Amino acid sequence: MSENGNDQQDGGHSHGHAHDHSHRHPFQPDLEDGGYSYYQVMTEAVAELLLEKAVITSEELRKTVESIDSKSPAFGARMVARAWVDPDFKARMLDDVIAAADELGIDAGGIPIKAIENTDRVHNVIVCTLCSCYPRLLIGLPPDWYKARAYRSRVVREPRAVLEEFGTSIPDDMEVRVHDSTADLRYMVLPARPKGTEALDEEALAALVTRDCMIGTAVPKSN
Amino acid sequence: MRRHHDMGGLDAGPVEQNEHDYAPWEKRVDAILRLLSAPGRRMITVDELRRGIEELGPGAYDEMSYYERWIASVTNNLVEKGTLTVEELGRKMAEVEARWDADRAAHKNSQEERAQ
């Protein structure tokens, strides 16, 4: 940031260089680590230019990062657990995920998301072969492998083999459906409730639902 | 003809199930894109982001990390739209780099002083 003091500052502190480092610049690479990359510098430069030009504000930037940090598979898991105990909710969720999320006070964003239900005959798995579309507001940022070449290339062609690599064996007589996401329609898997969980309450059920269960590379297991 | 990002159904090796916690700068890239594409601003669409990523070409697409591709595309889009100029970007990048180097040097010095 410039030192002439007319720009929006991250965290409200100035970058005159006489300031002490009792607090660290929040976006500076760790001083202890091995260096920073060209694209890290580019990111900082673009952010600072957008702030100086008042295209965005530091408050918005901070809140948006916080919002990204706050999203986790726990949101999706809560929806799944509710669907397991409440068939009417499940029907509404299969009809409209965003509205069903809203019932639970969860913001699923504005891009349509379709829930696809695993049954005793069908197992579902999601991918985005062209890029990385993913229901991030319900299950957090995608893992690296979801965005990587191997998964994107192979899961549409040999899903059973890919699922085996995740330790998930799908019986031969069960159909596997692969859903390729787009920028305009994302998917989440509504896994099947595992047997032996009749005594569990909703919170305990939600704890069984991992991120990978909602991608479809895993299935929930009763402990 | 299939373009390089269109990889569904191709052969590839095993899925490497490594994942990392996203670094602050990566989340910042994500936040910048979200803010620029938010309703009310709409300065860059997801399709424009993707076009920018796909235009990086086969080599860069595979060599750059995910958020490196994103910031490269976001930046190119902003330059195309005239929000930033190449000169401003170059000047600001040099400034950031100089500041980080100075901070690092100061940090190193203070550590050495403490060690004495």
Side-chain angles (χ1 to χ4, degrees):
Chain A
M1 277 169 218
S2 65
E3 290 174 48
N4 52 16
N6 61 359
D7 53 313
Q8 302 261 9
Q9 302 287 358
D10 291 304
H13 68 273
S14 116
H15 273 286
H17 290 149
H19 73 295
D20 74 331
H21 278 263
S22 52
H23 60 275
R24 207 154 81 191
H25 189 292
F27 299 106
Q28 183 179 27
D30 281 340
L31 291 166
E32 292 78 10
D33 74 16
Y36 45 81
S37 72
Y38 176 78
Y39 291 100
Q40 270 174 276
V41 174
M42 181 182 283
T43 301
E44 182 65 20
V46 169
E48 292 183 15
L49 287 169
L50 291 173
L51 293 169
E52 284 171 23
K53 290 169 181 284
V55 174
I56 59 175
T57 68
S58 55
E59 174 77 358
E60 283 178 315
L61 194 52
R62 185 180 59 73
K63 282 193 170 157
T64 307
V65 171
E66 275 175 16
S67 161
I68 292 167
D69 276 333
S70 73
K71 304 300 177 192
S72 85
F75 292 110
R78 264 177 64 208
M79 296 186 70
V80 170
R82 175 64 61 88
W84 285 348
V85 300
D86 180 347
D88 291 338
F89 178 83
K90 181 166 102 178
R92 293 197 296 278
M93 179 172 165
L94 291 172
D95 184 50
D96 185 341
V97 169
I98 294 177
D102 193 50
E103 283 183 43
L104 303 186
I106 296 169
D107 173 15
I111 300 166
I113 302 170
K114 190 165 169 42
I116 38 183
E117 185 185 11
N118 285 349
T119 65
D120 359 338
R121 287 201 300 243
V122 178
H123 179 85
N124 296 285
V125 59
I126 67 170
V127 63
C128 176
T129 60
L130 291 173
C131 44
S132 57
C133 302
Y134 187 80
R136 354 155 103 213
L137 294 181
L138 294 178
I139 58 180
L141 293 176
D144 292 329
W145 54 259
Y146 183 85
K147 304 181 288 187
R149 175 171 289 276
Y151 184 77
R152 287 164 55 190
S153 299
R154 291 179 50 228
V155 76
V156 288
R157 180 147 136 203
E158 42 175 0
R160 286 170 200 273
V162 170
L163 293 176
E164 286 285 351
E165 289 170 30
F166 283 86
T168 302
S169 297
I170 305 299
D172 286 344
D173 59 354
M174 187 182 272
E175 185 184 339
V176 176
R177 292 185 191 157
V178 183
H179 302 265
D180 196 354
S181 316
T182 70
D184 304 312
L185 177 62
R186 283 101 201 258
Y187 298 95
M188 75 175 280
V189 174
L190 172 52
R193 180 170 177 168
K195 295 194 170 57
T197 57
E198 293 73 17
L200 298 183
D201 66 12
E202 215 175 307
E203 200 183 330
L205 288 170
L208 304 179
V209 184
T210 63
R211 176 197 71 200
D212 288 7
C213 294
M214 293 178 279
I215 297 175
T217 49
V219 291
K221 304 205 171 50
S222 57
N223 292 320
Chain B
M1 199 190 109
R2 202 191 257 267
R3 293 192 65 201
H4 58 277
H5 65 277
D6 183 9
M7 56 185 74
L10 298 178
D11 289 328
V15 178
E16 289 176 30
Q17 291 169 47
N18 48 2
E19 34 193 295
H20 77 294
D21 290 332
Y22 291 101
W25 79 270
E26 295 178 297
K27 292 178 188 171
R28 207 166 197 216
V29 173
D30 206 301
I32 289 169
L33 188 265
R34 285 187 201 208
L35 287 170
L36 294 177
S37 61
R41 204 172 264 120
R42 297 200 186 285
M43 295 175 62
I44 173 170
T45 66
V46 171
D47 299 315
E48 287 171 324
L49 174 76
R50 265 191 57 191
R51 195 236 339 145
I53 291 170
E54 289 155 15
E55 277 183 356
L56 293 169
Y61 191 93
D62 285 319
E63 282 158 24
M64 291 163 72
S65 75
Y66 185 73
Y67 281 109
E68 287 177 349
R69 300 198 293 258
W70 271 42
I71 193 61
S73 172
V74 166
T75 306
N76 285 337
N77 271 284
L78 290 173
V79 170
E80 277 178 17
K81 289 166 195 281
T83 311
L84 311 177
T85 67
V86 172
E87 292 71 32
E88 283 174 322
L89 182 69
R91 200 161 54 233
K92 183 58 85 178
M93 285 182 71
E95 185 188 313
V96 167
E97 215 165 340
R99 186 201 313 149
W100 284 353
D101 285 343
D103 283 355
R104 184 162 304 206
H107 178 79
K108 195 161 169 263
N109 284 343
S110 72
Q111 271 190 329
E112 280 168 7
E113 277 167 30
R114 226 171 296 152
Q116 280 164 8

